Every structure is written in C-alpha cells, then in structure tokens.
Amino acid sequence: MNTSEFAQTLLHWIKEFLSWIGIPRHMLDQLDEALFLVLIVVIAFAFAAIVHTLAVRFTRRILERKNVSFLGSLAKYNVLRKLTAIIPPLMISALLPFAFDSKSEWYVVSEKVTWIYFFIALIFSVNAILNTVGDALKSEQQLQNRPMKGFIQIFQVIFSCIAVIVIVSILINKSPFNLITGLGAFAAVLMLVFKDTILGFVAGVLISQNDMVRIGDWIEMPQNNVNGVVTDISLNVVKVRNFDNTIVTVPPYSLVSGSFINWRGMSDSGGRRIMREYALKLDYIKPCTPEFLEKMKAFDDELAQFITGKQQQAAEGRVANTDNPAGLVNGTIDTNVGLLRAYMALYLRRHPFINKDLDLMVRTLAPTGNGLPVQIYCFSSNKNWPSYESIQAEIMEHFVSVLPVFELYAFQSADARDTIISGLIESGKVDLSAVGGIPWLSVLPTGGQESPGKPGATKN
C-alpha cells in the first residue's frame, strides 16, 4: 500500500466515523480537503508529542544517574519542547500535496501558514538553544568572567531579524534577498531604533577585549550612584547590587564612555589598604630625654629592643638608619612622636591580620590648624568588608589608647562641657568620681588629680 492509498483509507475511516455520529454523507464528500488537512495536523502534532515524551524520559533517566549541567539547562529553557514544535510544520508541509492540489487556494494558504509557524517555532527553539549554550559557556573556567550573555543576545537578535524577514517575504511572496537589499533605505531608522543595542554590542566587545568588568567585580561610579558588585552583564544593561542591597542598572556603553573604579585589583592583591590618621596637639611634641626612654623600655619589649638598638648606633657614631634611610618613616628615638611611630610600626608588624609583604608605614603628614597628623598606612590581609572594618577599628582604637603613654594627645574641638570639667578639676573641691566624662588620665585611682604631662595613672 503506497502513501496515497494509506491516506485515502484513513480518510474513508474518518468519513465513516463522522457519518456514524450523524453528519450527512453529502456534506462529508464536500469536505475531503478540509478533512485531509485536519488528519494531517492531528498526525503531525501526535507524532511531535510522542517524540517529546520519549526525549524527556530519556533526559530524565540520564539526569537521575548523572548530573549533566548541559541537560539541566535544556530542561530549564524547555529546549526539547521547543525543538519538537518544529516537527509538525515540517510534516504538514510534506503531506500537504496529498490533501490539496498544488494550485488550489487551500494549498497556498495552508503552506504559507505552515512555514510561518515553522519559522516562529524556529526562533523560539534557537533562542532556547543559545541560552543553553550561554549557560554552558559560563560554566567554563576560562569564560566565566567574560560577558557571554551579551554575545548570546547578539546572535539571538541577528537570527530573529533574519527569521522575521523570511516570514515577511512569505506573506508578500517576495524573495528575502529583495527585502534585505531594500533595507538600505531604512538604515537611518534602524540605527535610531536599535541605537542602544548597537552601542551595547560595541561596548560588550570592548569590555570583553580589555577585561574591564567581570561578573562579581566591585565597581564604583559615583555619577550613577553605583557602588557594589556586578551581578549581570547583558547586551543592554549591566546590573549592580549596591551594598545597601539596591539594584542599579546602567547601559554597558556608560562603562566605556565614562570612568569608573574597579576594585578587582584590590581583591586579587594580597590585602586591602588601611589609611587613617589622628591629628596630634603640637604643644605636646617634645624631645625624648634619657629618663623618658628608660621608662618607655618598660612599656613594650620590642620597643625596648628598638630603643637599645638606636642608642647603640648613636654610641658607635653611626647615623640612625644609615643602612635603611627609608626606615626613618617608621620611627626614631629623637622625639616622643618618633617613638610613637616606632611603636605603632612594631605593633603592625606583629599584628596577625596585616600583610607584611605590602607597604607598611607610620608617617607624619603636613601640619594643619588642628595639629600634626600621624597616619597609619598598611594593608589588611583579610579583604572581607566586615572583617576589614573590624581590623581597622581595632588598630585605630589601640593607636589612640596609647597616645597618653607617650605623653601625646589627639586634637579634639573643645565644647562647653570640656570647659566645665576643666573648671571642676582646677577647683579641687568637687568629688570627681561623681563627674562623668572626665579624661581617664586626668584622675588617679585614688580620686586625686594628675597633670596631663604625667601619664603614670591608669583608671579603668
């Protein structure tokens, strides 16, 4: 039995069934072509459903035994369902000559509808496949930090445009090449409509080629209120999750046309910079006497070794730090500020969370109206934000807590309360233990007074 005889047999069975349910026979004889079309459509979609079911079961069997990321992406984007949607129009197109005469209007209309449906289904299926390929490329180690999503979207746009041109050519019975050549007249309009897409594509190429931004980078663009981590890079937008959990979207070409800060260098380096200072009162800076140096030797063992080493150099007639002039930035024994810098440098070098391989300095800056700034410059080996802030806070808190030991004080603008407390201390007639907010070094443990220049008292 050939295909034509098989089709005629199926049509006869359908007519018999419809006649049995009460449809007049003469009406059925007039609907041969329509019945053939319905039969073809039912067979095509039934076959596609069977293929889809078998493909889904096969994929699930594989996923149950082994976790294949590519097959998981197929299920995520419904690739199998969209691919099997291509089968019906192909089958219908192949079987249409059995239902209609090639010159009949039914044949022409049915063929157009079939091919339009085919290209629409093809757009969805190709887009789903490209999304799956994009996920697979992002899982590759070498391509993880590339904006692959933008390139995938470019291919999707190009293919969709070609498919739309073909669909229009089918509707108007013109060659697709004639339509493409005629697009030159609409180039200006297309440039205007797809301006953002074209700029996004160019920006994506530049970003990828120069490795300017990767997903996961911390970037900062004050002009766009961007200060956070890049979560997505697509053809038209770059999504950034700010540290207050707000989401900011900026066009990719703004990263190319403007300026921004990428903190990836800090993340990839050995540490995160700490650069803070206190301004010291100038009238408390003084030369170190032998008695003061001996007293400070008892404060810290490493500082005692530092002082002893400098004293030996002076006794031998050698200029301090002759072998390492740059070391002068981290302290001397000439003044109490130099001794403070030496102590803080030693403290940082033994700190467990400071990177010793990167720059480490305790230096003075240009004097200001508030005094002499002493700055700590080093790098935290822990780059996690909360941990970094904790380490920085601990160092600066220790810094200010040891200032009175070196007979130094940080500048602080006086207010009315300071004036009142100063008057109470000078009067000596008030029980200072009942007064809150008094500097701890101003009061002896017994409740007596001590001048600011004598830091021997410690009250906790």
Side-chain angles (χ1 to χ4, degrees), residues 23-100:
I23 298 177
R25 187 76 183 188
H26 67 276
M27 292 181 60
L28 295 176
D29 293 335
Q30 297 174 0
L31 297 175
D32 281 355
E33 292 182 341
L35 290 175
F36 253 126
L37 180 61
V38 173
L39 177 62
I40 291 172
V41 171
V42 171
I43 292 174
F45 278 93
F47 180 76
I50 294 171
V51 173
H52 175 260
T53 302
L54 294 176
V56 169
R57 289 186 178 180
F58 179 72
T59 304
R60 287 177 179 174
R61 290 283 181 85
I62 296 177
L63 289 175
E64 288 174 358
R65 297 181 180 180
K66 186 177 181 181
N67 185 15
V68 181
S69 59
F70 183 77
L71 294 180
S73 296
L74 290 179
K76 174 183 176 182
Y77 294 106
N78 289 324
V79 174
L80 297 178
R81 181 178 296 279
K82 292 173 182 176
L83 278 176
T84 52
I86 300 175
I87 296 176
L90 293 176
M91 292 187 63
I92 293 172
S93 177
L95 296 175
L96 276 178
F98 297 105
F100 306 107

Side-chain angles (χ1 to χ4, degrees), residues 130-330:
L130 288 175
N131 287 329
T132 304
V133 172
D135 286 356
L137 292 177
K138 285 192 291 185
S139 63
E140 293 291 332
Q141 187 67 27
Q142 297 178 345
L143 301 174
Q144 274 185 346
N145 298 318
R146 302 292 182 181
M148 300 307 301
K149 187 174 181 179
F151 293 111
I152 293 297
Q153 289 177 333
I154 282 292
F155 292 131
Q156 290 175 332
V157 170
I158 293 174
F159 182 81
S160 298
C161 290
I162 294 174
V164 169
I165 291 173
V166 174
I167 290 173
V168 173
S169 68
I170 292 173
L171 288 173
I172 63 177
N173 289 325
K174 296 289 184 180
S175 171
F177 298 102
N178 293 336
L179 292 177
I180 293 174
T181 54
L183 288 178
F186 302 99
V189 177
L190 291 175
M191 288 290 292
L192 181 62
V193 173
F194 296 105
K195 181 189 72 172
D196 292 338
T197 302
I198 295 171
L199 290 175
F201 172 69
V202 175
V205 173
L206 293 175
I207 289 172
S208 177
Q209 184 177 5
N210 298 312
D211 196 17
M212 297 169 63
V213 178
R214 303 174 185 171
I215 294 176
D217 282 356
W218 169 15
I219 66 171
E220 188 175 348
M221 298 178 67
Q223 66 272 25
N224 292 327
N225 295 320
V226 172
N227 186 8
V229 178
V230 177
T231 59
D232 190 22
I233 302 175
S234 63
L235 183 61
N236 294 318
V237 296
V238 175
K239 291 184 180 179
V240 181
R241 185 181 70 252
N242 283 340
F243 291 113
D244 58 359
N245 284 331
T246 57
I247 303 297
V248 181
T249 58
V250 293
Y253 58 82
S254 67
L255 301 177
V256 178
S257 61
S259 61
F260 67 97
I261 300 172
N262 191 331
W263 292 91
R264 189 201 312 157
M266 179 275 297
S267 301
D268 294 342
S269 68
R272 185 171 177 179
R273 188 182 67 177
I274 296 174
M275 188 172 67
R276 293 284 180 89
E277 68 267 354
Y278 284 115
L280 305 183
K281 294 181 178 180
L282 293 174
D283 51 350
Y284 284 92
I285 300 174
K286 58 186 179 181
C288 288
T289 63
E291 294 78 16
F292 181 75
L293 291 175
E294 291 301 318
K295 184 180 69 171
M296 295 310 298
K297 286 181 181 180
F299 175 67
D300 183 80
D301 292 338
E302 289 190 10
L303 183 61
Q305 295 176 10
F306 176 83
I307 296 172
T308 301
K310 296 300 180 183
Q311 288 175 333
Q312 289 177 354
Q313 289 179 356
E316 295 171 1
R318 290 191 294 146
V319 178
N321 288 288
T322 302
D323 299 328
N324 181 21
L328 290 169
V329 73
N330 284 329

Side-chain angles (χ1 to χ4, degrees), residues 286-432:
K286 58 186 179 181
C288 288
T289 63
E291 294 78 16
F292 181 75
L293 291 175
E294 291 301 318
K295 184 180 69 171
M296 295 310 298
K297 286 181 181 180
F299 175 67
D300 183 80
D301 292 338
E302 289 190 10
L303 183 61
Q305 295 176 10
F306 176 83
I307 296 172
T308 301
K310 296 300 180 183
Q311 288 175 333
Q312 289 177 354
Q313 289 179 356
E316 295 171 1
R318 290 191 294 146
V319 178
N321 288 288
T322 302
D323 299 328
N324 181 21
L328 290 169
V329 73
N330 284 329
T332 68
I333 61 171
D334 299 328
T335 64
N336 55 348
V337 175
L339 203 58
L340 171 69
R341 289 189 289 114
Y343 168 75
M344 287 305 300
L346 293 170
Y347 174 79
L348 294 174
R349 288 195 180 98
R350 65 173 179 255
H351 198 288
F353 299 113
I354 297 299
N355 192 320
K356 317 307 185 297
D357 297 327
L358 299 177
D359 290 338
L360 188 155
M361 293 185 293
V362 182
R363 59 176 181 166
T364 58
L365 304 179
T368 67
N370 295 334
L372 179 68
V374 176
Q375 184 186 74
I376 287 177
Y377 186 100
C378 59
F379 289 84
S380 165
S381 57
N382 191 327
K383 293 168 283 187
N384 177 264
W385 189 14
S387 301
Y388 162 80
E389 293 292 348
S390 176
I391 294 165
Q392 180 175 243
E394 184 268 325
I395 291 173
M396 299 310 296
E397 289 162 2
H398 182 78
F399 184 3
V400 75
S401 70
V402 299
L403 286 179
V405 179
F406 292 85
E407 300 183 6
L408 292 165
Y409 297 89
F411 172 82
Q412 189 175 10
S413 299
D415 58 11
R417 182 177 182 81
D418 295 326
T419 304
I420 294 172
I421 290 177
S422 178
L424 293 175
I425 292 175
E426 291 178 0
S427 68
K429 299 178 180 180
V430 178
D431 182 6
L432 298 181

